[in-house]
């Protein structure tokens, strides 16, 4: 199976696109400039949309406008890592684009059955797993439409979502 881009993945969604993130650190090249600015004290002003809107948010907004339920859940260790503090500070942009977002402290996830990797699940059928090295650098993706794997991912996401805290209510510890 050919590996779709994230854009292709979201454009193919008909009913849902859910994303589970379970790492405390992501080292993604495209974020390094924003992280450096955040470390230097820069914070986005929610009222100044032009300063923080980016193409990814256009894709989310377009997907949601088609009636697709786009949600993200993040399992985080507490106290949170610097990366999670940074991520939380700008996550309002994803919510503004129409993405649902919940946070689950890792200590509250011990009873959940989770896959070994972060994933996107589209329409409950196609799973795209994201692979990372120990330092959070992306090492590749893999897709599967195996029904048992999709069912595991759907169940895991639903459980994290059920126990998660809405973005507006979560305060990183």
């Amino acid at each position: 199976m050919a590996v779709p881009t994230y854009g292709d993945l979201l454009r193919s969604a008909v009913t849902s696109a859910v994303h589970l993130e379970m790492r405390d650190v992501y080292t993604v090249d495209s974020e390094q400039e924003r992280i450096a600015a955040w470390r230097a004290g820069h914070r986005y002003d929610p009222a100044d949309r032009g300063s923080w809107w980016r193409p990814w948010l256009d894709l989310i907004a377009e997907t949601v406008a088609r009636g697709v339920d786009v949600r993200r859940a993040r399992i985080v260790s507490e106290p949170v890592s610097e990366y999670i503090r940074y991520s939380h500070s700008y996550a309002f942009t994803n919510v503004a684009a129409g993405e649902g977002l919940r946070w689950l402290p890792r200590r509250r996830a011990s009873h959940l059955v989770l896959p070994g990797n972060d994933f996107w699940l589209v329409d409950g059928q196609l799973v795209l797993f994201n692979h990372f090295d120990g330092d959070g650098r992306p090492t590749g993706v893999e897709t599967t439409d195996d029904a048992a794997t999709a069912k595991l991912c759907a169940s895991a996401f639903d459980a994290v979502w059920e126990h998660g805290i809405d973005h507006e209510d979560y305060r990183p510890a």
Side-chain angles (χ1 to χ4, degrees):
M1 174 183 307
V3 177
T5 66
Y6 294 113
D8 292 341
L9 189 72
L10 289 172
R11 287 183 192 97
S12 74
V14 175
T15 59
S16 65
V18 299
H19 185 40
L20 181 61
E21 295 180 337
M22 299 181 284
R23 299 185 56 85
D24 289 318
V25 176
Y26 293 90
T27 308
V28 180
D29 290 342
S30 64
E31 289 185 318
Q32 296 313 302
E33 188 175 312
R34 286 193 309 259
I35 291 171
W38 178 84
R39 282 183 182 132
H42 177 267
R43 298 297 182 268
Y44 290 126
D45 176 358
D48 183 12
R49 179 178 160 143
S51 70
W52 50 261
W53 196 264
R54 58 193 188 281
W56 173 256
L57 300 175
D58 284 328
L59 178 59
I60 295 297
E62 291 165 9
T63 303
V64 170
R66 291 194 339 268
V68 177
D69 179 27
V70 179
R71 292 180 290 156
R72 179 186 312 248
R74 292 179 168 155
I75 299 174
V76 295
S77 299
E78 291 181 326
V80 299
S81 67
E82 177 188 53
Y83 180 87
I84 296 299
R85 282 193 313 279
Y86 151 76
S87 181
H88 185 271
S89 77
Y90 81 83
F92 75 88
T93 66
N94 294 69
V95 174
E99 185 175 333
L101 176 57
R102 290 192 180 170
W103 303 80
L104 181 62
R106 194 171 308 279
R107 71 181 183 287
R108 293 175 46 185
S110 297
H111 66 289
L112 303 180
V113 176
L114 303 168
N117 295 290
D118 292 7
F119 64 84
W120 279 94
L121 174 63
V122 174
D123 297 332
Q125 299 175 347
L126 177 65
V127 182
L128 182 141
F129 287 109
N130 295 299
H131 298 291
F132 298 89
D133 69 16
D135 293 320
R137 290 182 196 86
T139 61
V141 297
E142 95 183 86
T143 59
T144 183
D145 57 5
D146 174 71
T149 303
K151 183 177 178 180
L152 167 68
C153 290
S155 175
F157 184 87
D158 289 346
V160 172
W161 190 259
E162 177 184 338
H163 296 285
I165 302 165
D166 284 330
H167 175 70
E168 304 82 41
D169 299 325
Y170 180 68
R171 301 295 171 258

